[in-house]
Amino acid sequence: KYIVGVAILPNSKILEEEFKEETKQQENKEKPNPKEIGVFILIDDSDSKKMSKFELKDKLTTIIEKNAKEIDPNFKAIIMLLSELKENCFDAKYGVLEALALSAIFYDPSDILAALKISEVHKKMTLKKFEKYIVSYVAAGSLFRGEKSNDIDVYLVVDDTDVKKMSRLELKDKLRAIIIGLGYDASKITGINKAFHIQVYILTDFWESLKD
């Protein structure tokens, strides 16, 4: 009941930043395995009341790593708690999202991995197109809160403070059309057919809303 997602990573070392200390310890003990297969396992710790999240992770890690080695010595189990994933995003550590964008999803009953994958791909495409103008890219909505949902919701804040050639309304409409178009492209690239809703805000309006 704790497993909310399983994915195969193209390279387990892609998460080196998030698992820096663990990686260093292992590198001192053993040589890198060129045949290693990274298996990412996401654990839901939101209702863990009998033990701390660290105790839960340690307990499940021991069992999962043992099972992985019994199935295939080349399997490298990478276990992450849902709360850790959120904390990484709050701390601007996006390595795990980059890894999931390139992953093959094998188990995802709540669609959380699918949501993270398509959002990360779309984020990369949007940043490539607009570079410095993207202030924030945020995953929102019920699915990211751990609830079952039929759609994926994200919103973007775009800096319009140095745009002088068009009105705010024109700018918002133009940006919205392009960014939503990139959302359709992200759906095709990832093969994720779940409804992908993108809300675009321009920074000036965003601040006005906060003041109101």
Side-chain angles (χ1 to χ4, degrees):
K1 65 178 181 179
Y2 292 109
I3 309 291
V4 292
V6 179
I8 303 296
L9 302 179
N11 182 353
S12 64
K13 295 295 183 288
I14 203 166
L15 294 180
E16 193 171 319
E17 192 62 34
E18 279 72 8
F19 298 91
K20 191 176 283 183
E21 294 305 318
E22 182 184 335
T23 304
K24 283 180 181 176
Q25 290 172 9
Q26 289 176 351
E27 284 177 351
N28 292 334
K29 292 179 182 178
E30 56 191 44
K31 293 180 180 179
N33 177 6
K35 295 181 180 179
E36 186 175 87
I37 301 167
V39 184
F40 179 79
I41 298 152
L42 188 61
I43 305 290
D44 185 1
D45 60 323
S46 58
D47 65 347
S48 177
K49 295 179 177 66
K50 293 181 181 178
M51 62 185 87
S52 72
K53 65 180 183 179
F54 300 109
E55 288 175 315
L56 175 65
K57 183 176 181 179
D58 288 343
K59 185 176 181 180
L60 292 178
T61 296
T62 301
I63 298 167
I64 292 169
E65 285 184 343
K66 183 175 181 290
N67 288 343
K69 293 301 179 187
E70 287 174 355
I71 294 167
D72 189 326
N74 293 318
F75 279 168
K76 165 66 177 172
I78 299 166
I79 294 93
M80 179 171 270
L81 302 176
L82 205 51
S83 61
E84 285 183 301
L85 178 60
K86 290 178 181 179
E87 285 169 14
N88 278 5
C89 291
F90 294 146
D91 294 337
K93 295 178 180 177
Y94 304 124
V96 65
L97 299 181
E98 292 172 5
L100 289 173
L102 301 171
S103 70
I105 299 171
F106 277 82
Y107 178 74
D108 191 26
S110 63
D111 293 323
I112 184 66
L113 292 185
L116 292 169
K117 180 169 183 168
I118 191 172
S119 300
E120 177 64 16
V121 169
H122 180 250
K123 182 192 82 174
K124 291 286 187 186
M125 294 169 75
T126 306
L127 289 176
K128 186 176 180 180
K129 182 79 174 175
F130 295 107
E131 296 182 14
K132 63 180 181 179
Y133 292 104
I134 304 300
V135 178
S136 296
Y137 189 106
V138 182
S142 54
L143 196 149
F144 292 106
R145 290 196 298 269
E147 302 164 15
K148 192 66 181 174
S149 176
N150 294 322
D151 51 25
I152 301 164
D153 297 306
V154 298
Y155 70 80
L156 294 88
V157 181
V158 184
D159 189 354
D160 64 313
T161 54
D162 66 345
V163 177
K164 301 190 173 53
K165 293 181 179 178
M166 62 181 80
S167 69
R168 278 191 275 170
L169 185 60
E170 287 176 311
L171 177 67
K172 185 176 179 179
D173 287 344
K174 187 174 182 179
L175 289 173
R176 188 174 180 274
I178 296 170
I179 291 171
I180 288 175
L182 292 175
Y184 290 117
D185 293 340
S187 296
K188 290 178 183 177
I189 290 168
T190 59
I192 294 166
N193 298 317
K194 206 172 182 69
F196 188 40
H197 296 152
I198 304 159
Q199 183 66 45
V200 179
Y201 298 93
I202 56 175
L203 186 59
T204 308
D205 286 347
F206 187 81
W207 279 116
E208 289 296 329
S209 298
L210 286 177
K211 284 190 272 186
D212 291 342

